[in-house]
């Protein structure tokens, strides 16, 4: 079995302990990665700190060249990266390839967005300035960043933190999810191959519950970008040494249907939004809210679409693949059982072979059922019947999450009015919930997050103004 070593200061670390990386499809150990000690993690921060000023000083043109070389290497190695990802997280191979390509595009867009950033200047002719001064405000690096990514997009949600921060002159200690660590180490190896200097990108591996506190309490941290679950996000807020945090956490995105227009296409959109990568996406549609009349019409259409979903192993490129682990699959099964026990109608699915769950559709879900509120992060979609728009908004807003919502209606003005009342980061009218296009700001409110991601926003959150004012 192959072993992959963590990378600190561009050196592979000869650690004494190893962490098993499972293949969720076979439930066998696929590889091992270093399980770093507290001392080794501390040395990663020292390396990042030592490298930062020099990395910033080499200038934007040089850093852009390094990033382009890194992007080229990601693409050159896309098959290997996609295959690794497929084994680590059981995502369909073609979706893994798409993720690598989306990541390469993310780097290109980061470079072009950075070029569009304006330097702020003021002088005695500027509004509100009475002194004879010339003032210039440039964005500069914050310093040493921590990037912590989740399992479900191991390349994209890593590079979307790292690329903007690296481009602007920061250095990083990057901790990939355990399932996703081999890919995390591989992108670190490719950064070395791209010539990115020692200490600029350090990849530390180990179980989050063992090394997480050690990472986030290091005194050398200037900012943290985390994507993952709510409990870990909350812990970071409590204990991190830096309070400069961007947190992208879970979601319970609703699709609210206001009328009967275009139901066949909406059913297709909802199913794509709910079930891709087996629902293991923060932006997946995780509940449908609509009236009795509309539900009577759309439920059979959604059922027909769900029945078409392909189910199988990731190398066969289906939509539904085995869930990331048994604990997660058990959680979804419990949600389904709880709902059925309390009177929900099992319209489709509900069966399971180990971690491979059939896509499951539940109708007549009520607010007493856990599946109405919990984030399953798995292939189950509840339909909640509510007849008044005010009550739909109220149930949508009662969730502790506030990531995104979809509203489907032929009356865009009405949909817009509803959108204005929803407590979420983003509302999509007549489109499914999703993160892209990546140039858009991406944010959650309430338990769904803190701060904003997206290409420009990440450039902003990994930099600060430095003002220089000259009195004439
Ligand atoms: N809003 C968004 O953009 C997104 C949100 N998510 C959310 O993430 C969750 C699923 O991802 P999952 O990977 O299971 O999330 P986790 O919160 O379990 O893990 C996320 C990352 O945090 C690490 N971690 C675990 N414990 C700690 C700790 N105490 N301190 C610091 N880091 C720690 C994990 O490492 P390890 O794997 O070693 O435990 C992993 O790298 C869902 O709730 C989902 O909604 C996912 C994607 C996008
Ligand atoms: O991690 C996630 O779930 C993503 O941020 C969602 O991205 P997507 O909407 O592009 O799948």
């Amino acid at each position: 079995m192959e072993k992959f070593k963590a990378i600190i200061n561009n050196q592979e670390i000869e650690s004494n302990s190893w962490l098993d990386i499972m293949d969720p499809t076979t439930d066998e150990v696929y590889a091992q990665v270093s399980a770093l000690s507290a001392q080794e993690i501390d040395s990663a921060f020292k390396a990042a700190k030592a490298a930062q000023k020099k990395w910033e000083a080499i200038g934007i043109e040089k850093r852009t060249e390094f990033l382009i070389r890194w992007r080229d290497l990601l693409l050159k190695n896309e098959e290997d990266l996609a295959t690794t990802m497929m084994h680590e997280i059981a995502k369909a191979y073609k979706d893994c390839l798409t993720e690598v390509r989306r990541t390469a595009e993310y780097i290109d867009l980061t470079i072009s967005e950075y070029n569009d950033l304006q330097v702020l200047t003021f002088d005695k002719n500027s509004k509100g300035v009475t002194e004879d001064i010339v003032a210039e405000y440039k964005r500069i690096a914050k310093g040493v960043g921590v990037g912590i990514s989740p399992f479900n997009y191991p390349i994209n949600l890593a590079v979307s933190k790292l690329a903007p921060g690296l481009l602007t002159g920061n250095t990083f200690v990057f901790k990939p999810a355990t399932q996703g660590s081999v890919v995390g180490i591989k992108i670190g190896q490719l950064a070395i191959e791209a010539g990115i200097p020692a200490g600029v990108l350090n990849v530390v591996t180990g179980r989050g519950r063992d090394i997480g506190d050690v990472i986030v309490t290091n005194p050398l941290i200037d900012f943290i970008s985390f994507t993952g679950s709510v409990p870990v996000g909350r812990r970071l807020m409590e204990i991190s040494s830096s309070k400069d945090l961007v947190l992208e956490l879970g979601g319970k995105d609703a699709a609210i249907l206001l009328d009967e227009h275009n139901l066949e296409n909406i059913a297709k959109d909802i199913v794509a939004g709910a079930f891709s990568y087996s629902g293991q996406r923060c932006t997946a549609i995780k509940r449908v809210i609509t009236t009795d009349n509309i539900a009577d019409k759309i439920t059979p259409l959604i059922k027909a679409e769900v029945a078409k979903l392909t189910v199988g192993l990731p190398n066969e490129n289906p939509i539904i693949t085995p869930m990331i682990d048994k604990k997660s699959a058990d959680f979804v099964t419990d949600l389904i059982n709880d709902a059925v026990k309390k009177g929900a109608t099992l319209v489709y699915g509900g069966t399971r072979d180990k971690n491979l769950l059939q896509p499951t559709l539940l109708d007549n879900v009520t607010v007493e059922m856990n599946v109405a509120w919990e984030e399953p992060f798995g292939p189950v979609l509840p339909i909640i019947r509510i007849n008044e728009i005010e009550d739909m908004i109220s149930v949508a807003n009662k969730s502790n999450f506030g990531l995104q919502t979809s509203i489907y209606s032929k009356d865009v003005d009405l949909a817009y009015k509803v959108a204005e009342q929803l407590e979420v980061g983003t509302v999509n009218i007549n489109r499914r919930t999703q993160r892209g296009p990546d140039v858009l700001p991406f944010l959650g409110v309430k338990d769904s997050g803190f701060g904003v991601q997206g290409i420009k926003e990440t450039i902003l959150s990994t930099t600060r103004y430095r003002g220089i004012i000259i009195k004439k």
Side-chain angles (χ1 to χ4, degrees):
M1 178 206 327
E2 235 183 313
K3 289 181 189 287
F4 293 84
K5 296 174 186 169
I7 299 170
I8 298 176
N9 215 16
N10 281 6
Q11 303 292 316
E12 291 192 333
I13 299 305
E14 293 296 340
S15 194
N16 292 327
S17 307
W18 296 95
L19 174 62
D20 288 343
I21 306 300
M22 308 304 289
D23 183 330
T25 301
T26 59
D27 205 25
E28 285 169 7
V29 179
Y30 163 65
Q32 287 186 319
V33 299
S34 316
L36 294 185
S37 65
Q39 207 180 357
E40 287 161 336
I41 286 164
D42 188 52
S43 71
F45 280 101
K46 288 191 172 124
K49 181 74 182 172
Q52 196 270 321
K53 289 284 174 240
K54 204 163 158 204
W55 174 241
E56 194 173 4
I58 65 169
I60 186 67
E61 284 80 16
K62 200 83 193 131
R63 289 198 300 276
T64 303
E65 281 171 27
F66 283 125
L67 259 82
I68 289 172
R69 283 213 285 274
W70 194 33
R71 185 271 318 261
D72 290 346
L73 285 165
L74 293 175
L75 287 176
K76 191 170 153 206
N77 291 278
E78 63 177 14
E79 287 175 10
D80 177 55
L81 292 169
T83 305
T84 306
M85 209 193 300
M86 178 182 81
H87 284 293
E88 280 194 287
I89 64 160
K91 187 181 273 192
Y93 179 76
K94 70 172 176 24
D95 295 335
C96 295
L97 265 187
T98 303
E99 184 175 331
V100 180
R101 291 171 190 165
R102 178 180 181 180
T103 304
E105 198 182 321
Y106 198 103
I107 295 177
D108 288 337
L109 289 166
T110 298
I111 291 166
S112 73
E113 283 283 338
Y114 179 84
N115 290 335
D116 288 346
L117 270 192
Q118 302 285 330
V119 176
L120 294 185
T121 53
F122 303 83
D123 61 24
K124 64 174 188 235
N125 299 316
S126 309
K127 201 157 121 195
V129 178
T130 48
E131 278 180 84
D132 192 6
I133 55 170
V134 176
E136 173 198 87
Y137 285 78
K138 267 191 190 160
R139 296 205 75 88
I140 62 164
K142 282 184 174 168
V144 174
V146 166
I148 303 179
S149 53
F151 77 84
N152 66 336
Y153 279 85
I155 290 196
N156 191 265
L157 289 176
V159 174
S160 61
K161 301 174 186 318
L162 302 173
L166 290 173
L167 185 71
T168 51
N170 300 279
T171 55
F172 274 95
V173 173
F174 162 51
K175 148 84 180 96
T178 292
Q179 296 298 137
S181 291
V182 179
V183 160
I185 289 173
K186 284 190 174 183
I187 61 178
Q189 290 168 342
L190 293 175
I192 297 176
E193 202 179 323
I196 293 182
V200 170
L201 175 56
N202 304 280
V203 185
V204 298
T205 51
R207 272 259 173 247
R209 62 172 176 262
D210 299 331
I211 62 169
D213 286 5
V214 171
I215 294 173
V216 303
T217 54
N218 191 288
L220 297 179
I221 301 172
D222 291 299
F223 65 95
I224 299 178
S225 174
F226 170 81
T227 303
S229 61
V230 175
V232 179
R234 284 209 182 112
R235 180 153 181 82
L236 261 61
M237 278 202 145
E238 281 164 22
I239 70 163
S240 299
S241 58
S242 167
K243 297 302 169 208
D244 188 336
L245 301 172
V246 173
L247 305 176
E248 291 295 343
L249 308 174
K252 186 67 182 172
D253 294 1
I256 300 178
L257 275 66
L258 298 179
D259 54 51
E260 294 178 9
H261 176 69
N262 204 16
L263 287 186
E264 281 192 14
N265 285 335
I266 292 171
K268 286 191 175 72
D269 212 35
I270 287 176
V271 170
F275 291 99
S276 62
Y277 186 39
S278 312
Q280 296 173 118
R281 297 166 49 243
C282 59
T283 51
I285 292 178
K286 292 174 182 141
R287 45 187 176 149
V288 172
I289 300 178
T290 195
T291 64
D292 270 319
N293 283 343
I294 301 171
D296 284 346
K297 296 197 170 77
I298 199 160
T299 303
L301 299 173
I302 295 179
K303 180 184 175 188
E305 291 303 318
V306 174
K308 286 185 211 159
L309 292 171
T310 45
V311 180
L313 303 182
N315 62 355
E316 298 160 349
N317 287 324
I319 304 295
I320 306 291
T321 51
M323 287 188 64
I324 192 69
D325 56 28
K326 180 174 179 301
K327 195 168 144 232
S328 307
D330 288 347
F331 181 67
V332 177
T333 302
D334 288 350
L335 288 176
I336 296 168
N337 291 342
D338 170 76
V340 171
K341 204 170 80 195
K342 290 177 182 161
T345 312
L346 180 62
V347 180
Y348 191 88
T351 56
R352 166 178 173 184
D353 177 11
K354 295 185 185 140
N355 295 349
L356 184 59
L357 272 68
Q358 286 297 317
T360 298
L361 181 63
L362 295 167
D363 193 6
N364 297 302
V365 168
T366 66
V367 294
E368 284 73 38
M369 301 170 190
N370 296 336
V371 76
W373 306 111
E374 298 276 352
E375 178 188 40
F377 226 62
V380 57
L381 180 64
I383 297 178
I384 305 173
R385 293 169 174 241
I386 299 177
N387 287 326
E388 300 302 327
I389 292 185
E390 290 313 307
D391 297 336
M392 291 178 181
I393 295 169
S394 157
V395 167
N397 283 344
K398 248 186 207 146
S399 171
N400 60 312
F401 292 109
L403 190 58
Q404 295 200 352
T405 305
S406 290
I407 303 174
Y408 292 95
S409 175
K410 65 173 185 298
D411 184 345
V412 174
D413 291 340
L414 174 65
Y416 197 94
K417 284 193 188 109
V418 174
E420 288 179 315
Q421 298 174 66
L422 292 169
E423 295 162 6
V424 291
T426 303
V427 181
N428 300 269
I429 295 178
N430 293 327
R431 86 195 273 269
R432 58 183 180 262
T433 50
Q434 59 198 285
R435 179 159 46 109
D438 288 330
V439 285
L440 301 182
F442 180 60
L443 68 154
V445 296
K446 302 201 278 186
D447 278 352
S448 289
F450 181 76
V452 189
Q453 292 201 112
I455 291 176
K456 187 166 180 189
E457 299 296 335
T458 308
I459 292 172
L460 295 177
S461 69
T462 55
T463 53
R464 67 166 177 88
Y465 276 128
R466 183 190 53 208
I468 298 184
I469 305 171
I470 303 168
K471 187 162 174 74
K472 296 285 226 171

